[in-house]
Amino acid sequence: MALIEFENVSKHYGDTIVLENLSLTIEDNEFLAVVGPSGAGKTTLLRMLLSQEAPSSGRILIDGAPIAPEPMPDRGVVFQRYSVLPHRTVIGNVMTGPEWQAAPFTGRLFGKARQLLKARAQDMLDRVGLGGHAALYPAQLSGGQQQRLAIAQALMMNPKVLLLDEPFGALDPGTRRAMHKLVLELWSEHQMTVVMITHDLSEAFHLGTRVIAVDKRRHDPHAPHRYGSIITSDFDAKPRLARQLARAAG
Amino acid sequence: MRRVINRHPSRRMKILMGALPFILAIAIYAFAADARGADGPDKLMPGLNAFTSAMSRLMFDIDRATGTRLFWADTWASLARLGVGLGISALIGLVIGVLVGFIPFLRALFEPFFAAFSLIPPLAVLPILFILFGLGELSKTVLIVFGIAPFIIRDVMLRVAEIPREQIVKAQTLGASSWQMILGLVLPQVFPRLISSVRLSLGAAWLFVIAAEAITAEAGLGYRIFLVRRYLAMDVILPYVLWITLLAFAMDYALRRTHDAIPWTRFKEGG
């Protein structure tokens, strides 16, 4: 269960206004795709949802409670790059989160607990199609495999919300299609709310149940920085009722 | 005709060409020494015989004043100073570099100070060290640490700053505390750089060891060189310089191998 609410959220850096008075309610189990031109504030939106940055005004709530002021395990994330730890093996990366939670001082598990976690991590790797690569290091994987790993690593924490920041932007079209399929499957298996930033409109409509576009309210040639972005369009890409029916039938 | 930058020597040619300057240098020396030594032994360019006799005396004969074999005692004294100095510097560099580099408040507090501190020429404060810490081992160790720890601290801090923000945010979404990020994310990624950093400091560390020994010591490679300088004993100085070079090379090689033994550093990002 994860209902996300933006209440009159604005963000500005000094004089430059990025987002203006944004209000948005994201239903539980929604797959929200955010599109918009470069510099429109898509990534700022995601960073605020991640608590990597704080809104200048307004607030963000998950299930009615304001989000923590720093990144927390309730919100998992996959960035376009650098989402995995280069010094840990593939399976080590997937085990990292649970290990940190279980062992506050050493960050490592030993003995039986380690074996149990390892089995769980191996299941997760099998699920995302990296089962045979457990002993490799991330730099030995292809771009698509690295993103699969980043997703697997995030899902090990069972986040309420999964945030995707142009996760497939650097992948070739074939790999991208395979990733779309995987993400849709994982989304329905894990019952999460997903917020995905993308600059690819067809990707947004293919994956998203709801697509919003953010763009500047007004382009003033003399003071381009004085107008922030708002939500310019909001589509129900896949109506909720149809989804629920499909799920009930499936 | 291909451009000169596109012409590459073959493997065998490369080895041969690499060896050529060494052979040439030795040949020129031998030739010149022979020419100078034509009318009796020469102090400035002694021949091979002079080297072997001087070195065998230092390596195998027990010195009456100290009761040791001087060459080995010197080597041990210098290596011990170098090792202790480098080890302490590396430890200080790692701990302070990681903490100050990773924790914003510590960074704000110490970064400007370290920037200024690292610009103090260590040899200029050597008299202060001698006054404060006496003429024994302590002042020599402090000199080495003073000379190279600031460099290592700053290099480690730079490496910490290079860790992508994404990784640090991701770690937090995986539930990591600050301590866990230092232990499980920052330290392992900084460690290879620390080794490289120590490697690059080797030259400076030797410089400080020899400088300190030149002024005051009872043994040490630098001490010996500066001692026998009074007698123009090139037959000792030259082999000692070669030996120091060889030791430095061996340490450099060992550190490089240690760096390359870390498995994940072998793969380039985005491969």
Side-chain angles (χ1 to χ4, degrees):
Chain A
M1 175 69 193
L3 176 83
I4 306 170
E5 288 164 281
F6 282 73
E7 280 183 357
N8 301 318
V9 171
S10 295
K11 180 72 188 176
H12 48 79
Y13 301 98
D15 255 2
T16 309
I17 301 173
V18 180
L19 288 170
E20 257 185 42
N21 215 17
L22 191 106
S23 289
L24 173 69
T25 302
I26 308 168
E27 299 289 335
D28 179 39
N29 201 23
E30 189 90 74
F31 196 129
L32 179 77
V34 182
V35 295
S38 298
K42 305 189 293 282
T43 297
T44 304
L45 188 84
L46 187 103
R47 281 192 184 150
M48 288 194 294
L49 194 44
L50 196 53
S51 304
Q52 193 180 342
E53 283 177 36
S56 304
S57 64
R59 54 184 197 156
I60 302 170
L61 308 123
I62 291 182
D63 293 337
I67 56 171
E70 55 182 353
M72 283 293 174
D74 59 339
R75 288 155 283 155
V77 67
V78 175
F79 294 105
Q80 188 172 0
R81 297 187 65 191
Y82 306 123
S83 293
V84 293
L85 305 175
H87 63 280
R88 291 217 172 161
T89 58
V90 166
I91 193 149
N93 261 290
V94 180
M95 289 163 70
T96 297
E99 273 192 311
W100 274 336
Q101 281 208 319
F105 185 72
T106 60
R108 295 277 169 153
L109 285 175
F110 301 97
K112 190 146 191 281
R114 183 178 176 79
Q115 290 312 314
L116 283 174
L117 176 60
K118 203 164 183 176
R120 192 155 84 82
Q122 186 61 48
D123 287 345
M124 180 60 84
L125 285 180
D126 290 336
R127 177 66 196 87
V128 300
L130 289 176
H133 298 77
L136 296 183
Y137 284 92
Q140 292 171 288
L141 302 177
S142 69
Q145 288 170 329
Q146 287 188 15
Q147 292 306 73
R148 284 169 191 265
L149 176 58
I151 294 171
Q153 191 184 35
L155 289 182
M156 285 296 278
M157 304 303 289
N158 293 316
K160 287 182 182 181
V161 181
L162 184 63
L163 305 170
L164 306 172
D165 188 4
E166 302 198 18
F168 316 126
L171 305 181
D172 63 80
T175 311
R176 199 184 266 227
R177 271 195 295 280
M179 293 298 291
H180 289 168
K181 188 162 166 288
L182 176 72
V183 163
L184 283 178
E185 287 168 7
L186 292 173
W187 168 63
S188 65
E189 282 167 27
H190 287 258
Q191 307 271 312
M192 317 166 278
T193 305
V194 177
V195 176
M196 179 181 71
I197 306 293
T198 178
H199 52 246
D200 182 342
L201 211 56
S202 68
E203 179 175 274
F205 276 94
H206 176 53
L207 295 180
T209 54
R210 181 175 171 196
V211 179
I212 61 170
V214 291
D215 199 358
K216 285 204 185 297
R217 176 161 68 86
R218 188 181 146 191
H219 290 272
D220 185 334
H222 302 292
H225 59 281
R226 291 305 292 162
Y227 292 95
S229 291
I230 55 163
I231 296 175
T232 50
S233 337
D234 189 343
F235 300 97
D236 265 334
K238 299 180 188 75
R240 203 168 172 74
L241 185 64
R243 265 159 52 208
Q244 281 164 351
L245 288 176
R247 181 166 295 152
Chain B
M1 192 65 182
R2 253 191 294 174
R3 291 175 183 82
V4 71
I5 60 154
N6 290 327
R7 293 157 61 102
H8 297 281
S10 68
R11 234 182 103 78
R12 187 183 288 177
M13 188 77 172
K14 243 184 199 162
I15 296 169
L16 220 78
M17 290 179 76
L20 195 64
F22 291 98
I23 297 168
L24 252 153
I26 294 169
I28 290 173
Y29 182 88
F31 185 76
D34 192 49
R36 284 181 63 107
D39 36 307
D42 184 44
K43 271 254 168 219
L44 292 183
M45 292 187 89
L48 197 63
N49 295 340
F51 288 136
T52 45
S53 70
M55 287 315 290
S56 72
R57 180 169 50 79
L58 287 171
M59 285 166 94
F60 305 121
D61 297 355
I62 291 179
D63 178 59
R64 255 177 290 164
T66 57
T68 55
R69 291 182 174 81
L70 284 178
F71 177 79
W72 303 112
D74 289 341
T75 302
W76 169 245
S78 290
L79 281 184
R81 285 172 191 137
L82 194 77
V84 170
L86 276 175
I88 293 175
S89 303
L91 195 71
I92 291 178
L94 187 67
V95 171
I96 295 187
V98 164
L99 289 179
V100 173
F102 198 54
I103 298 172
F105 266 92
L106 290 182
R107 199 183 178 106
L109 187 61
F110 286 116
E111 200 177 27
F113 181 71
F114 285 149
F117 192 79
S118 66
L119 291 175
I120 301 173
L123 286 178
V125 297
L126 187 56
I128 302 177
L129 301 183
F130 281 143
I131 293 166
L132 285 180
F133 303 111
L135 298 175
E137 291 305 313
L138 185 60
S139 57
K140 296 185 187 64
T141 308
V142 173
L143 175 69
I144 301 172
V145 172
F146 198 95
I148 62 181
F151 165 76
I152 297 181
I153 290 175
R154 293 187 82 189
D155 206 37
V156 167
M157 280 171 62
L158 280 178
R159 180 65 186 89
V160 173
E162 277 171 21
I163 297 174
R165 193 75 218 155
E166 284 91 337
Q167 259 182 50
I168 293 165
V169 172
K170 175 83 176 205
Q172 294 178 61
T173 66
L174 296 177
S177 64
S178 298
W179 164 249
Q180 286 172 329
M181 279 187 276
I182 288 174
L183 193 71
L185 174 76
V186 180
L187 276 181
Q189 294 203 33
V190 160
F191 195 68
R193 176 75 154 258
L194 178 73
I195 294 174
S196 304
S197 192
V198 170
R199 230 185 109 194
L200 288 176
S201 309
L202 273 180
W206 273 108
L207 171 74
F208 295 128
V209 168
I210 292 169
E213 287 177 350
I215 295 171
T216 166
E218 269 121 43
L221 296 167
Y223 163 74
R224 192 69 51 203
I225 291 178
F226 277 83
L227 185 73
V228 300
R229 176 188 59 100
R230 298 171 196 165
Y231 321 115
L232 298 179
M234 291 292 265
D235 52 350
V236 173
I237 296 176
L238 282 178
Y240 261 61
V241 171
L242 277 180
W243 176 237
I244 292 171
T245 311
L246 197 71
L247 287 174
F249 178 81
M251 292 166 81
D252 186 78
Y253 182 77
L255 284 171
R256 201 176 72 213
R257 292 302 295 261
T258 312
H259 180 275
D260 292 349
I262 302 168
W264 64 274
T265 58
R266 265 179 272 154
F267 315 111
K268 288 271 170 280
E269 174 64 36

